[in-house]
Amino acid sequence: MGNRHTRRQLGTVEDWKTRGVFWFGALTVGLVIQSFAWLSEESFSITEAVFDRYPYAFLLITPLGLMAIVWVMNWGGKAARGSGIPQVLLAHKQSYHWLRGPFLSLRVATLKVLLTCAGLLVGATVGREGPSVHVGAALMYKFGIWAKLKQRQVESSLIVAGGAAGVSAAFNAPLAGIVFAIEELQQSMEARTTGTFIMAIILSGVVVLAFAGHYSYFGVPDVTAVPFSNYPYIIGVSAACGLLGGLFSLFLVQGNRAIAPLVARRPLRVAFVIGIFLAAMAILSDGLTMGSGYVEARSLLAGQSEGSWLTAAGKILATLLTYFSGIPGGIFSPSLAAGAELGSAMGPLFPQVPVVSLILVGMASYFAGVVQRPITAFVIVLELTGNNHDILPALMVSALVATAVSKLVMSEPVYHVLARDLVRGWDHLLREKDESVSTTGKNVIEPQNEQR
């Protein structure tokens, strides 16, 4: 009786096999995402160096580069398109299990890494965080397949854990990974795997810590608690940024739908035209609209530069155009950078509030307006800027206000709408599967009828 109770406490061999897959997979995700981070940073460093010397060369580099990326993506794996989060949202649902093969293949994950870095190399406006979610989910799913786990429901938990570990490793922010999984991917949280799932996210962060050391993504800005008397200004900034974030999501969805038929017919021409616009915007902004926006946001928080409305508008427009081109790349970092620019630009309007506080509020509120995930928004900004809890109440208020305002113009979270739009382009797989089953069934039945 005692031995049976001990075995129940320790778990079965299959339970330990599942834990091993989660933990080893998370360590691998952390290593891969850290390598992805290094490669993307090196790619953009080359871009900056070339742009400083030959800015007008990007009138050829960007459009031709986007054409090459789109061609490789269409040839090697169309599932690598975009941020990757809509793919993960679909793949983790049991009702879309037939998409797991094409969406979570190692070929698609490899293309996601290489083509996102290529996008940074040619001057596109992309982030690596969404792709990190996709890559993490693909790796964890493949480990589950190779291990031949018996519990089929564990597949969904592996996909969620991989995506969350991707966020954790990309930002060096384990708490943000956990919150992202619960808030964005909560439908597949299994009670029996929750502890293992959280441990997996922490392990991916440990790998990053081992290789990159303890660092804060956007540095550690000097910020103090916001007095209660300044909260009306904070709410005003949050409402404005939330509205702009909601409009961004609306334009992203509607624009993507409008341009989709043209992209399907003439993908390379669309990429070329968009590349010309991106290059022209980069030249006019002295390169500020290129890349993920990480450098600019960090500079704003350190007080080394000042934000402007034009730069914010340029970053927002460049992010939209890059997404419309269809190349792999996310909107996390560009959105945080655009929010930082907006918060800094509003500084002269509210001189009573320290500019650094407005920048942090702008980041949290604009990002919350885009994704409509308030807890994820303020936790990410908090962790990415040194975990200064003095600013936490202001970030919480700003994210909640921004989400509420965003819903006035965008009724659903953007990733869920993009996922629903995405599945329409892949429903032929389900039809082919149904036709195959129907044909097989027909072949079995017909001989029986002939015997009669």
Side-chain angles (χ1 to χ4, degrees):
M1 194 76 171
N3 290 337
R4 206 175 293 147
H5 179 68
T6 302
R7 283 198 300 270
R8 198 181 304 121
Q9 284 184 319
L10 293 176
T12 64
V13 172
E14 186 67 22
D15 289 336
W16 279 102
K17 184 179 178 181
T18 300
R19 292 182 187 125
V21 170
F22 270 90
W23 297 342
F24 181 75
L27 291 171
T28 305
V29 169
L31 184 61
V32 170
I33 299 304
Q34 179 58 32
S35 301
F36 183 17
W38 176 83
L39 188 60
S40 63
E41 288 169 6
E42 290 299 311
S43 299
F44 191 63
S45 295
I46 294 172
T47 302
E48 288 182 307
V50 175
F51 186 85
D52 287 341
R53 296 187 65 182
Y54 311 107
Y56 289 96
F58 280 81
L59 289 171
L60 281 179
I61 292 173
T62 304
L64 293 178
L66 290 188
M67 285 180 68
I69 292 170
V70 169
W71 184 85
V72 172
M73 182 189 70
N74 287 340
W75 172 77
K78 291 184 179 180
R81 176 188 175 95
S83 79
I85 293 177
Q87 286 91 324
V88 175
L89 282 172
L90 288 173
H92 91 273
K93 295 181 179 179
Q94 287 295 341
S95 54
Y96 293 110
H97 64 89
W98 44 280
L99 287 172
R100 290 176 180 176
F103 280 7
L104 302 178
S105 69
L106 291 183
R107 181 177 64 179
V108 166
T110 303
L111 281 174
K112 199 80 175 187
V113 171
L114 296 179
L115 296 184
T116 299
C117 293
L120 291 168
L121 197 59
V122 302
T125 306
V126 293
R128 59 178 168 81
E129 292 74 29
S132 295
V133 172
H134 195 176
V135 172
L139 288 173
M140 290 286 274
Y141 173 71
K142 281 301 178 183
F143 277 120
I145 294 295
W146 292 334
K148 297 180 180 179
L149 299 178
K150 292 180 181 179
Q151 305 99 324
R152 291 189 59 83
Q153 70 271 19
V154 172
E155 287 184 4
S156 293
S157 296
L158 279 167
I159 293 169
V160 178
V167 172
S168 171
F171 283 126
N172 190 21
L175 183 57
I178 294 169
V179 172
F180 173 78
I182 294 172
E183 198 171 24
E184 187 70 74
L185 307 173
Q186 61 183 344
Q187 293 178 353
S188 62
M189 291 282 286
E190 300 288 340
R192 64 179 297 170
T193 57
T194 299
T196 308
F197 160 86
I198 292 174
M199 178 60 72
I201 297 171
I202 293 171
L203 286 174
S204 67
V206 168
V207 172
V208 176
L209 194 64
F211 282 90
H214 182 72
Y215 73 97
S216 179
Y217 190 81
F218 285 121
V220 184
D222 184 15
V223 63
T224 57
V226 178
F228 186 74
S229 59
N230 287 343
Y231 270 76
Y233 310 124
I234 295 297
I235 292 172
V237 170
S238 303
C241 290
L243 179 61
L244 291 172
L247 289 172
F248 170 86
S249 294
L250 182 65
F251 291 148
L252 184 71
V253 169
Q254 297 300 333
N256 198 49
R257 289 172 178 172
I259 203 171
L262 186 58
V263 170
R265 292 194 305 270
R266 300 284 189 272
L268 299 186
R269 291 185 185 180
V270 171
F272 185 84
V273 172
I274 288 176
I276 291 175
F277 278 105
L278 290 176
M281 290 170 62
I283 292 169
L284 291 173
S285 68
D286 197 23
L288 292 178
T289 59
M290 295 193 308
S292 67
Y294 161 78
V295 175
E296 292 78 17
R298 193 179 178 98
S299 176
L300 288 170
L301 286 167
Q304 297 170 352
S305 61
E306 294 182 0
S308 74
W309 293 102
L310 281 176
T311 303
K315 197 70 179 179
I316 292 169
L317 180 58
T319 306
L320 285 171
L321 290 174
T322 301
Y323 197 92
F324 294 157
S325 73
I327 70 169
I331 61 174
F332 262 52
S333 284
S335 295
L336 290 168
E341 291 283 351
L342 289 170
S344 180
M346 292 184 189
L349 301 177
F350 306 101
Q352 305 89 339
V353 186
V355 174
V356 174
S357 297
L358 288 178
I359 293 172
L360 293 174
V361 166
M363 293 171 72
S365 55
Y366 181 78
F367 183 72
V370 171
V371 301
Q372 293 186 3
R373 293 294 182 246
I375 302 176
T376 298
F378 74 72
V379 168
I380 279 182
V381 173
L382 185 70
E383 277 200 289
L384 269 54
T385 54
N387 287 304
N388 189 326
H389 291 85
D390 287 342
I391 195 68
L392 178 58
L395 294 181
M396 294 173 67
V397 169
S398 64
L400 291 170
V401 169
T403 301
V405 174
S406 174
K407 288 181 180 293
L408 298 177
V409 293
M410 184 70 181
S411 58
E412 295 180 82
V414 64
Y415 288 128
H416 288 258
V417 179
L418 291 173
R420 195 164 58 242
D421 289 350
L422 177 65
V423 76
R424 294 170 187 159
W426 293 82
D427 57 2
H428 64 280
L429 293 179
L430 184 59
R431 288 198 301 270
E432 290 171 5
K433 181 181 176 182
D434 291 341
E435 287 170 5
S436 175
V437 172
S438 176
T439 303
T440 304
K442 186 178 180 182
N443 291 338
V444 171
I445 294 171
E446 281 183 348
Q448 294 176 346
N449 291 337
E450 287 175 4
Q451 288 175 358
R452 288 179 185 176

